[in-house]
């Protein structure tokens, strides 16, 4: 059963720094982020999803990861000051032109790739990572299951069943 946006355990602040063609509706972002938060057992939290152009993403990727290029998604977990209670989970920043280019190059539908990037970013905020093979296998399996439950194909397999790369690919 596909979850409805009303059942999600989080509040989403969608920031559009750019307005690319083919951008999904705000309700889709809530649906995808909520599915990832539900799977990770995160309830009652607030997160920001910011859609940016290549220039902003390149600056962020350079500043925070030391890489002078735009990437598809970055996740910034919120680390509150000791003793301060907050419901903020963090920020997911997604680069619209990179997502569109990857979807085209990998033979994926644009909505499916957007869904993957949102889920991938939210799972990072919830503590999932792909720094080693074990972590990557766990995170990817959860992404595949969530996307399948939402009606999307395996993002790590292309149309002919070939590998398409990881969510962190350029």
């Amino acid at each position: 059963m596909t979850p409805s946006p009303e059942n999600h355990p989080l509040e989403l602040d969608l920031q559009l720094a750019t307005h690319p063609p083919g951008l999904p509706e705000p309700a889709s972002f809530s649906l995808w982020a909520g599915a990832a938060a539900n799977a990770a057992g995160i309830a009652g939290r607030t997160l920001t999803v910011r859609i940016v152009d290549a220039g902003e993403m390149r600056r962020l990727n350079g500043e925070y990861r030391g890489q002078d290029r735009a990437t598809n998604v970055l996740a910034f977990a919120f680390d509150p000051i000791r003793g301060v209670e907050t419901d903020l989970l963090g920020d997911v920043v997604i680069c619209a032109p990179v997502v569109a280019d990857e979807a085209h190059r990998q033979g994926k539908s644009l909505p499916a790739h957007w869904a993957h990037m949102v889920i991938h970013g939210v799972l990072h905020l919830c503590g999932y990572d792909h720094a080693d093979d074990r972590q990557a296998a766990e995170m990817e399996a959860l992404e595949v299951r969530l996307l399948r439950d939402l009606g999307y194909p395996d993002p790590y397999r292309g149309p002919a069943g070939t590998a398409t790369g990881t969510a962190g690919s350029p």
Side-chain angles (χ1 to χ4, degrees):
M1 181 173 112
T2 301
S4 66
E6 301 81 38
N7 293 335
H8 293 311
L10 58 83
E11 181 177 329
L12 178 69
D13 174 25
L14 181 61
Q15 297 179 356
L16 302 177
T18 187
H19 299 275
L23 186 70
E25 293 295 320
S28 295
F29 287 95
S30 293
L31 179 71
W32 302 328
N38 276 334
I42 302 297
R45 304 296 292 274
T46 301
L47 75 101
T48 298
V49 172
R50 181 172 173 81
I51 309 305
V52 301
D53 63 17
E56 183 172 342
M57 184 60 96
R58 182 177 180 176
R59 284 188 298 279
L60 290 170
N61 203 25
E63 182 174 342
Y64 293 99
R65 295 180 65 222
Q67 296 183 8
D68 187 26
R69 65 177 175 83
T71 190
N72 51 20
V73 60
L74 291 172
F76 299 95
F78 181 72
D79 188 16
I81 298 170
R82 182 183 219 153
V84 174
E85 301 237 356
T86 182
D87 66 350
L88 295 175
L89 185 59
D91 301 337
V92 173
V93 182
I94 303 173
C95 185
V98 171
V99 170
D101 181 59
E102 287 177 344
H104 175 75
R105 283 187 295 110
Q106 296 172 7
K108 298 176 179 178
S109 77
L110 193 52
H113 201 43
W114 275 108
H116 184 207
M117 294 300 96
V118 171
I119 287 170
H120 186 85
V122 172
L123 289 177
H124 272 305
L125 294 182
C126 295
Y128 288 85
D129 204 350
H130 43 81
D132 63 41
D133 289 343
R134 183 194 56 76
Q135 291 175 337
E138 180 183 353
M139 185 174 183
E140 289 174 12
L142 182 54
E143 290 171 340
V144 168
R145 180 178 62 81
L146 290 170
L147 289 161
R148 182 189 62 234
D149 291 350
L150 291 165
Y152 298 108
D154 181 340
Y156 297 101
R157 294 281 161 209
T162 57
T164 60
T166 65
S169 297

